Amino acid sequence: MPPVFYTDKLSKRPIVTSVSVMTTLKWFALTLCLVLTACNSQTSTTSEAENSHSDRMNIVSPDWGNAATLTAMGHAPIATGDVRVWDRWVGSPKLPISITDLGIRYQPNAELIAQLPVDMVIDNYFYEHARNLYGDVPAESVMSAAKGETATWADYTEPTRKLGMLIDNPKMAEDYIVQSQKDIQLASQQFQQRYPKANKFAVVQFADANNMRMYVANSLFQPALEQMNRELVVLGKGNQWGFVPIRMGDLAQLDDETCLLIIDPLSPITRAEIDNSLIWQRLGYGNTRCVGELPPVWIYGGMSSLVSLADNLSEVSLKGGEVL
């Protein structure tokens, strides 16, 4: 385009103004507007993201079972109790470092609770006595346990789905159930490759060198082993907690094909006393009979305990007996 000429009345000199320069100035102004609009849009998006994050429900659960399953699902509570000994009794999943320790689970710290931004408390009947400490915060009970004499897979999927409803995210719970079943099946395959002949298990936890709890059909070991195509062997009918108390000599009733699984924790003193026990030596575990020791799993937990148990079993080192 040819330049446009006009005369400055004061200077009497012709001045050249290019239309292309004027066009550039217009584009610069338009670009500046777009940039400012984009910045404003980005600020709005960031604000919306922050609001979305703030909509996440702040759950407090004094119960380890619910706390563990919520954490494994991806919606960890902001607080639970006895965090200092979590690794000793629960193990997996690991709690986020940001979680608040309520103190003793059965008697949580009231002053600490008053400072927490709690939207809901998820507990079970064992902790209902402490609900008054949370003021007018709504509380819901979720319990993973056998409804009959034998625990089933449904006894653990249903409470998981209830947790999903309570946190307003049923899909998260459903996805976790599906993934849990896949994880257990994978653990089963890994165990099968290592110990193809080990199919029967008795599960105990020592109270001292001579007394123990044997976990039976109404404990979480039943559905976990069943999902792994393994058999749980028991000596008697369990109480409401899923175990029957036995003494070391009672283990002689188990057949030679049954592998004994010992659930930690096991103190060094108790371990030494067991090794020195003449009864234990006569039983032959580790020599003529199969035995294995598993890391801690929260025995009164939910779906996450089933997965942890399967994972632990897939990595266990068994010794003794003909099944190996």
Side-chain angles (χ1 to χ4, degrees):
M1 181 178 292
V4 178
F5 292 89
Y6 70 90
T7 302
D8 188 334
K9 294 182 180 180
L10 295 178
S11 65
K12 304 299 183 180
R13 294 179 180 178
I15 298 177
V16 180
T17 301
S18 174
V19 172
S20 61
V21 173
M22 297 176 65
T23 302
T24 301
L25 291 174
K26 291 179 180 179
W27 276 109
F28 176 77
L30 179 59
T31 302
L32 181 61
C33 290
L34 291 173
V35 170
L36 292 174
T37 302
C39 290
N40 183 63
S41 176
Q42 183 176 8
T43 301
S44 300
T45 303
T46 302
S47 177
E48 290 173 2
E50 289 175 351
N51 290 337
S52 176
H53 180 72
S54 65
D55 290 340
R56 176 187 173 95
M57 292 186 66
N58 288 332
I59 302 297
V60 167
S61 180
D63 172 60
W64 276 349
N66 289 322
T69 298
L70 284 168
T71 300
M73 283 171 52
H75 192 115
I78 63 171
T80 189
D82 290 317
V83 172
R84 64 193 182 282
V85 292
W86 174 276
D87 290 340
R88 179 172 173 80
W89 291 98
V90 183
S92 180
K94 298 297 182 183
L95 292 173
I97 58 175
S98 60
I99 200 163
T100 299
D101 191 342
L102 293 175
I104 301 173
R105 283 170 294 148
Y106 195 72
Q107 296 177 323
N109 187 315
E111 295 181 359
L112 185 58
I113 290 172
Q115 301 174 34
L116 295 175
V118 188
D119 294 320
M120 179 179 291
V121 177
I122 299 180
D123 57 14
N124 53 48
Y125 70 90
F126 192 70
Y127 302 97
E128 288 182 356
H129 66 279
R131 286 185 175 181
N132 63 310
L133 299 178
Y134 300 94
D136 58 356
V137 175
E140 294 286 344
S141 179
V142 178
M143 186 72 180
S144 296
K147 293 182 176 62
E149 294 184 0
T150 301
T152 66
W153 179 251
D155 290 333
Y156 292 84
T157 56
E158 290 176 7
T160 305
R161 290 189 175 100
K162 184 175 180 179
L163 288 175
M165 295 296 293
L166 291 176
I167 63 173
D168 198 25
N169 198 337
K171 185 178 184 302
M172 177 181 283
E174 205 63 46
D175 290 346
Y176 177 62
I177 292 171
V178 172
Q179 187 59 50
S180 295
Q181 193 162 33
K182 290 180 180 179
D183 291 342
I184 293 174
Q185 292 302 319
L186 178 59
S188 177
Q189 294 170 11
Q190 293 172 343
F191 181 82
Q192 175 68 23
Q193 292 172 358
R194 299 179 63 213
Y195 302 110
K197 294 190 294 183
N199 294 310
K200 298 167 62 177
F201 297 93
V203 183
V204 299
Q205 193 168 41
F206 280 89
D208 56 44
N210 195 42
N211 296 279
M212 65 196 77
R213 294 175 174 179
M214 170 174 277
Y215 293 96
V216 294
N218 62 332
S219 72
L220 62 83
F221 295 96
Q222 174 66 35
L225 289 173
E226 187 175 22
Q227 286 290 314
M228 297 180 72
N229 298 314
R230 300 298 187 273
E231 179 185 350
L232 178 66
V233 178
V234 303
L235 299 176
K237 182 179 176 180
N239 56 21
Q240 63 176 331
W241 303 106
F243 69 85
V244 57
I246 64 171
R247 297 173 70 84
M248 184 182 288
D250 295 327
L251 295 176
Q253 301 175 49
L254 299 174
D255 61 45
D256 292 340
E257 295 180 353
T258 298
C259 192
L260 183 68
L261 296 178
I262 301 172
I263 306 296
D264 286 343
L266 186 62
S267 74
I269 294 176
T270 301
R271 188 187 304 275
E273 291 175 344
I274 293 171
D275 291 339
N276 293 328
S277 167
L278 293 177
I279 298 176
W280 182 256
Q281 293 170 14
R282 289 284 300 273
L283 288 169
Y285 284 109
N287 295 311
T288 58
R289 290 189 178 195
C290 171
V291 67
E293 187 173 339
L294 295 180
V297 60
W298 186 233
I299 293 164
Y300 311 108
M303 182 65 69
S304 66
S305 289
L306 299 184
V307 177
S308 294
L309 174 62
D311 288 341
N312 292 343
L313 191 56
S314 72
E315 299 176 355
V316 70
S317 294
L318 301 178
K319 58 182 179 179
E322 298 180 358
V323 296
L324 305 183

